[in-house]
Amino acid sequence: MGVGQVFSQRLEGAARLIEGRLELLMDQLAASGTPPRLLAAMRHAALGGGKRLRPFLVLECAGLFGVPASAALSTAAALECVHCYSLVHDDLPAMDNDALRRGQPTVHKAFDEWTAILAGDGLLSAAFWLLGGAEAHPDPQIRAQLVCGLAAASGGAGMVGGQCLDLEADKLRRPVAPDLAHVERLQAMKTGALIRFACEAGGLIGGATAEQQAALKRYGEQLGLAFQIADDLLDAEGDAARLGKATRKDRGKATIISVAGVARAKQWLSQLKAEMAATLAPLGPRAEVLLQAAHFVASRTA
Ligand code: GRG
């Protein structure tokens, strides 16, 4: 079997596992009294497709240290809950105002705005419920580190802050200077922080040494940047039907493409792939699938 096939199988396997855990989560939420309308909207957001890249990274990075997928599944599901909540809120009319996500109507289109806001809130809370529970890790100190790490990655100095920087230029008609450092910082917060944390979380669960943890963090940062460059290229050049969401949404925005141009962005992606290979080398042959993930992210078409 080719290495690329190994990666595809592992990504599909991770998606199946994570979807099983998310199904169970929905059952747990139903049993604990979540109103049916809210639950239906949360299911629409969390179980309506998606590549499941972030949970895959948690499972693979924990797997580097011999951790079975079952022992990293709660953390992986928590991260996916945060990601799905961010997509629901990002799609709202007050933010990006999108009608299509993962090839389906966005949550506020399938339900309505107030339900979509609450579904996002419910998913964010569910993430921390998952991480705080004993199933996430037997050691409460590790659980506390996972909780704090996800809060930091998703909060004001992470994803939410990045979203704010992105929107304020647009909504407050405050055009930002086309400055690569600004765009890189914004993207590292908005998209990069969760991807980086997925890798770090795997290391935390697996008991990585400080050096191994630093390598996972570095890889996560490089992968997050590659993901964003690829996302910008897809917005500029991709096909909406294949992507299952609108394209050409970035026109007029400060993005890596608008600042650096398509040719330089593509060159940067190749450079990042080489850098990720060097970052992963000390983690040994088990990290080969993570390198394949880097190639997948850099050359993805959906
Ligand atoms: C609303 C707090 C808040 C944050 C929103 C993640 C995000 C921040 C906005 C999403 C807008 C967007 C398209 C960002 C570009 C990168 C990105 C997160 C793409 C979607 O992630 P994928 O490709 O999606 O992993 P799937 O559907 O595969 O899970």
Side-chain angles (χ1 to χ4, degrees):
M1 194 190 299
V3 194
Q5 277 172 297
V6 174
F7 164 74
S8 303
Q9 280 201 349
R10 296 273 269 269
L11 183 62
E12 271 168 38
R16 270 199 304 276
L17 283 174
I18 207 67
E19 279 156 21
R21 185 63 188 88
L22 291 172
E23 287 278 3
L24 174 63
L25 171 67
M26 296 302 151
D27 292 346
Q28 291 170 318
L29 291 170
S32 61
T34 305
R37 180 178 180 81
L38 178 59
L39 198 62
M42 290 170 71
R43 286 188 72 90
H44 184 94
L47 286 158
K51 294 179 288 296
R52 313 301 191 185
L53 177 68
R54 295 153 191 81
F56 159 85
L57 289 169
V58 176
L59 302 186
E60 281 298 327
C61 291
L64 288 176
F65 308 98
V67 175
S70 57
L73 205 51
S74 288
T75 303
L79 217 82
E80 186 66 7
C81 283
V82 172
H83 171 60
C84 293
Y85 122 73
S86 81
L87 299 179
V88 174
H89 282 194
D90 184 67
D91 289 335
L92 286 167
M95 296 213 193
D96 220 25
N97 194 19
D98 271 303
L100 198 65
R101 167 73 62 187
R102 295 171 165 172
Q104 295 190 52
T106 47
V107 179
H108 68 274
K109 289 286 180 192
F111 294 82
D112 49 44
E113 268 182 74
W114 65 265
T115 309
I117 293 169
L118 292 178
D121 294 342
L123 285 169
L124 178 60
S125 304
F128 288 98
W129 180 78
L130 279 167
L131 272 191
E135 205 193 301
H137 200 279
D139 180 345
Q141 279 194 9
I142 300 288
R143 295 208 293 274
Q145 286 181 51
L146 290 169
V147 166
C148 291
L150 184 60
S154 58
M159 182 181 73
V160 170
Q163 177 80 344
C164 177
L165 291 177
D166 199 16
L167 289 184
E168 71 181 355
D170 192 28
K171 307 278 181 193
L172 303 181
R173 310 240 179 283
R174 228 187 262 159
V176 282
D179 169 355
L180 194 54
H182 173 81
V183 176
E184 253 195 272
R185 176 170 164 255
L186 184 163
Q187 301 302 353
M189 291 166 74
K190 180 177 142 175
T191 319
L194 269 199
I195 292 177
R196 189 206 66 225
F197 179 69
C199 303
E200 290 180 312
L204 272 174
I205 296 168
T209 63
E211 269 174 26
Q212 290 166 330
Q213 194 63 357
L216 288 175
K217 177 173 185 252
R218 184 86 198 105
Y219 166 72
E221 286 166 351
Q222 291 164 332
L223 190 69
L225 181 56
F227 183 94
Q228 191 57 53
I229 297 174
D231 206 73
D232 288 357
L233 284 168
L234 284 172
D235 184 82
E237 300 183 329
D239 171 35
R242 192 182 167 103
L243 286 166
K245 62 176 184 179
T247 54
R248 318 298 184 261
K249 297 279 296 184
D250 290 346
R251 278 184 186 159
K253 277 192 180 178
T255 66
I256 289 168
I257 305 293
S258 70
V259 175
V262 167
R264 198 163 149 217
K266 288 183 177 171
Q267 201 183 6
W268 201 356
L269 268 183
S270 309
Q271 186 190 321
L272 277 167
K273 282 194 271 183
E275 285 173 14
M276 282 187 264
T279 304
L280 290 171
L283 293 168
R286 271 186 154 166
E288 176 60 34
V289 176
L290 292 174
L291 188 56
Q292 288 304 313
H295 287 276
F296 165 79
V297 160
S299 49
R300 72 198 169 95
T301 53

